[in-house]
Amino acid sequence: MRTLRLTLAYDGTDFLGWQVQSVGRTVQGELEAAVEKITGERVRLAGAGRTDSGVHALGQVASFRTTTTIPSDKLRLGLESALTAGDLAVLDVADVPEDFHARHSARGKLYRYQVLNSRLRAPLLRRFTWQVRAPLDRAAMREAAAVLVGTHDFSSFRLAGCDARTPVREMRRLELIEREDGVLWIELEASAFLRGMVRAIVGTLVEVGRGRRPASDMPAILASCDRGAAGRSAPACGLTLVRVAYE
Amino acid sequence: MRTLRLTLAYDGTDFLGWQVQSVGRTVQGELEAAVEKITGERVRLAGAGRTDSGVHALGQVASFRTTTTIPSDKLRLGLESALTAGDLAVLDVADVPEDFHARHSARGKLYRYQVLNSRLRAPLLRRFTWQVRAPLDRAAMREAAAVLVGTHDFSSFRLAGCDARTPVREMRRLELIEREDGVLWIELEASAFLRGMVRAIVGTLVEVGRGRRPASDMPAILASCDRGAAGRSAPACGLTLVRVAYE
């Protein structure tokens, strides 16, 4: 048996998220079908991050066990030729130690959220950004973001149905990066994320940026451990899983 | 009568180009319908560049004459609310001198072509780039590009059916700009362009970059005034009309 690691990129717009469902196109489902087509084996892929419907990836990681003897570079080419739609790319296929598991072995993840802070539409960015027309106070957003850095119980930013054993996560970096033409990147790097955590944090930061609540509310929001205390979730289309870190 | 100038951006993927056709969704058609909805007038829009099917724009310009008394900023908001698909944006509406004409008054245009020069797919860029897997020799491409700068008869890069009175154009700048992750911008600034000119030039430069013909062929290609002497046209999806210049 070999264990293989896939590195993946996708435009999530036309996927119902990572995880296989009874109906609908999913990243996991497309990949498992491609693996079966190329190797003849039905496998179950483990994904590092089970991205929601509409969420994109530049460096998602998945793993599976297989008996195929196809060399990894040939397998990559085969999988890509089986994935004809073009919105899903296999960037790398590599043999890894047998006990490697894309999710359990992960030591950290980097997500990027793109806000288009402009009163004008940007048609070329619309699939990958959340347009916020009102001006955002970056200084207030940075003040609120700083409160979340460190090891905390993030229950206030956790969706119902999250199956994580503990709500405690280490937020290693939460940074606002100004880009061209009103695009604002919000980058979040943590040991791991709870379900819905990035979008709940971004939604809350944007409410702070719009002046709907002061940055000084953030410590109380975090301490409440109550999802109702935080802001509305930001839409999926702005979110991209950039990188998964392993030891 | 007022003359109004529209500045437009669009993702050309789902349009059959600028120009109204008997069937199919076009930029001009969508805009004329929006103008009629907001002002009650049927107008004919003049576009600075009649972009082909699949070509994008960041700064297309259009003009029309109207008797409406709606202030220009209100008209912009009205047009955008009538354009619900999101892939077409009205960035600006302005009153201009009565004799302004988006195409006839234009003094120059800037087009940008995006090549993804990578053996790996980039799903988030696929709507806006042409993927070329083979490595491209940038130095050879720059040498060939330099030949085209200046005032020349560009018949070798002119599609059949082009209705321009003369094939002579002034190429003011033709530059290769290296971007991140294998993305190469080819920027072309000229007094005006012939039909199919940018895509024919880019296709020829890419053949030079792949080593299929030497850069030293470019003077003879240009001098031949024969479209058959140049390379195949690059696909529409990589092309964006960036800006139109007026006096």
Side-chain angles (χ1 to χ4, degrees):
Chain A
M1 281 300 254
R2 297 156 77 189
T3 301
L4 291 175
R5 183 193 67 204
L6 308 179
T7 308
L8 308 162
Y10 43 88
D11 172 347
T13 311
D14 299 328
F15 287 104
L16 292 173
W18 166 264
Q19 198 153 6
V20 162
Q21 298 181 17
S22 51
V23 287
R25 185 170 179 253
T26 67
V27 179
Q28 185 187 14
E30 295 277 300
L31 281 167
E32 290 178 355
V35 169
E36 186 175 0
K37 187 172 173 189
I38 303 303
T39 68
E41 280 185 347
R42 296 193 71 143
V43 302
R44 179 96 309 187
L45 256 66
R50 288 165 293 181
T51 51
D52 290 337
S53 180
V55 174
H56 318 288
L58 286 170
Q60 166 76 292
V61 175
S63 60
F64 65 103
R65 305 195 68 202
T66 177
T67 61
T68 185
T69 56
I70 303 172
S72 55
D73 53 338
K74 285 236 162 42
L75 194 58
R76 191 190 77 77
L77 291 170
L79 292 175
E80 281 222 334
S81 68
L83 298 163
T84 52
D87 56 354
L88 172 54
V90 181
L91 304 179
D92 186 58
V93 178
D95 278 278
V96 287
E98 198 181 349
D99 62 349
F100 178 89
H101 184 281
R103 186 149 54 93
H104 301 147
S105 306
R107 292 294 167 263
K109 286 199 193 85
L110 167 61
Y111 277 97
R112 178 182 300 145
Y113 196 96
Q114 294 196 104
V115 175
L116 171 66
N117 188 211
S118 170
R119 62 185 190 90
L120 299 175
R121 287 182 189 171
L124 278 66
L125 302 176
R126 79 189 188 293
R127 293 164 80 91
F128 310 110
T129 54
W130 174 26
Q131 184 179 4
V132 177
R133 286 184 164 80
L136 293 174
D137 178 343
R138 271 70 161 167
M141 292 172 75
R142 289 197 167 95
E143 186 189 332
V147 173
L148 302 180
V149 176
T151 302
H152 304 285
D153 179 330
F154 281 96
S155 295
S156 301
F157 303 97
R158 178 188 199 170
L159 268 191
C162 175
D163 60 5
R165 275 172 306 155
T166 157
V168 176
R169 294 293 183 263
E170 185 201 348
M171 182 70 73
R172 294 170 188 155
R173 186 165 69 87
L174 207 179
E175 201 176 352
L176 274 68
I177 303 167
E178 204 74 49
R179 303 283 294 180
E180 324 173 300
D181 302 325
V183 174
L184 181 67
W185 282 3
I186 303 175
E187 289 199 342
L188 305 94
E189 213 171 334
S191 52
F193 288 85
L194 302 169
R195 184 159 176 231
M197 182 170 153
V198 177
R199 291 166 58 192
I201 289 175
V202 169
T204 308
L205 291 177
V206 165
E207 290 184 12
V208 169
R210 300 182 68 160
R212 291 188 171 175
R213 49 173 99 206
S216 56
D217 275 6
M218 195 56 111
I221 294 170
L222 180 63
S224 73
C225 291
D226 170 14
R227 178 66 187 83
R232 289 180 60 179
S233 286
C237 61
L239 184 57
T240 302
L241 171 55
V242 176
R243 200 166 53 226
V244 185
Y246 296 92
E247 258 161 27
Chain B
M1 278 300 251
R2 297 156 76 190
T3 302
L4 291 174
R5 182 192 68 204
L6 308 180
T7 307
L8 308 163
Y10 44 88
D11 173 347
T13 311
D14 300 328
F15 287 103
L16 293 174
W18 166 265
Q19 199 153 5
V20 162
Q21 299 182 18
S22 51
V23 287
R25 186 169 177 255
T26 67
V27 179
Q28 185 187 13
E30 295 277 301
L31 281 167
E32 289 178 355
V35 169
E36 185 175 359
K37 186 171 174 190
I38 302 303
T39 68
E41 279 185 345
R42 296 191 74 141
V43 301
R44 178 96 309 185
L45 256 65
R50 287 163 294 179
T51 52
D52 290 338
S53 180
V55 173
H56 317 289
L58 286 169
Q60 166 77 291
V61 175
S63 60
F64 64 103
R65 303 194 69 201
T66 176
T67 60
T68 184
T69 57
I70 304 173
S72 55
D73 54 337
K74 285 239 161 43
L75 194 57
R76 192 191 77 76
L77 291 170
L79 292 175
E80 281 223 333
S81 68
L83 299 164
T84 52
D87 55 355
L88 172 53
V90 181
L91 304 179
D92 186 57
V93 178
D95 278 278
V96 286
E98 199 181 346
D99 62 348
F100 177 90
H101 184 281
R103 185 148 56 92
H104 302 147
S105 306
R107 292 293 168 264
K109 286 199 193 85
L110 167 61
Y111 278 97
R112 178 181 300 145
Y113 196 97
Q114 293 197 102
V115 174
L116 171 66
N117 186 211
S118 170
R119 61 185 191 90
L120 299 175
R121 285 182 190 170
L124 278 64
L125 302 176
R126 80 188 187 294
R127 294 165 79 91
F128 310 110
T129 54
W130 175 27
Q131 184 180 3
V132 177
R133 287 185 164 79
L136 294 174
D137 178 343
R138 271 68 161 170
M141 292 173 75
R142 288 197 169 95
E143 186 190 330
V147 173
L148 303 179
V149 175
T151 301
H152 304 286
D153 179 331
F154 281 96
S155 295
S156 301
F157 304 98
R158 178 189 199 170
L159 269 191
C162 175
D163 60 4
R165 277 170 305 153
T166 159
V168 176
R169 294 292 183 261
E170 184 200 348
M171 182 72 71
R172 294 171 187 154
R173 186 165 69 87
L174 207 179
E175 200 177 353
L176 274 68
I177 302 167
E178 204 73 50
R179 303 284 294 182
E180 325 174 300
D181 302 326
V183 174
L184 181 67
W185 281 3
I186 303 175
E187 289 199 344
L188 305 94
E189 212 170 334
S191 52
F193 289 85
L194 302 168
R195 187 161 173 229
M197 180 169 154
V198 177
R199 291 166 58 192
I201 289 175
V202 169
T204 308
L205 291 177
V206 164
E207 290 183 13
V208 168
R210 299 181 69 160
R212 293 188 169 174
R213 50 173 99 206
S216 56
D217 275 6
M218 195 56 112
I221 294 170
L222 180 62
S224 74
C225 291
D226 170 13
R227 178 66 188 84
R232 290 180 58 179
S233 287
C237 62
L239 184 57
T240 301
L241 171 55
V242 176
R243 201 167 50 225
V244 186
Y246 296 92
E247 259 163 23

